[in-house]
Amino acid sequence: MSEELRVVSLRLDGVEAAQAASIQELDRVTGLFREALAVLRGVIEAAQHGLIPELNLSRELMDEVEHSRGLT
């Protein structure tokens, strides 16, 4: 019985680690999404005033954009 409990405990440890990593990735992606929304709002506002907007993207968001281009 104790061996079975040890195996279950190890599996639970793995599930907890995966959940923590998933939450961390969700937080990262949510931050990037919020940043992208702010950039888009700036583009819209500049365009409404007839200006050419300046894109101020973090390095991480720029990397994601470049990665997405490679997927299409």
Side-chain angles (χ1 to χ4, degrees), residues 39-54:
V39 170
L40 182 56
R41 286 186 191 280
V43 168
I44 291 169
E45 187 175 313
Q48 288 173 334
H49 292 93
L51 302 172
I52 297 173
E54 187 173 320

Side-chain angles (χ1 to χ4, degrees), residues 1-47:
M1 181 81 148
S2 68
E3 178 61 22
E4 290 173 345
L5 291 176
R6 188 184 71 74
V7 169
V8 169
S9 181
L10 288 173
R11 286 184 180 172
L12 286 175
D13 290 347
V15 169
E16 286 178 332
Q19 181 186 26
S22 178
I23 290 169
Q24 185 176 7
E25 179 65 4
L26 179 61
D27 288 346
R28 184 186 77 80
V29 170
T30 298
L32 290 174
F33 182 73
R34 288 184 177 149
E35 180 186 349
L37 286 177
V39 170
L40 182 56
R41 286 186 191 280
V43 168
I44 291 169
E45 187 175 313

Side-chain angles (χ1 to χ4, degrees), residues 57-72:
L57 307 178
S58 68
R59 183 75 245 162
E60 187 177 12
L61 182 57
M62 184 60 82
D63 289 346
E64 289 293 329
V65 169
E66 291 296 323
H67 177 74
S68 294
R69 283 186 189 166
L71 296 177
T72 58

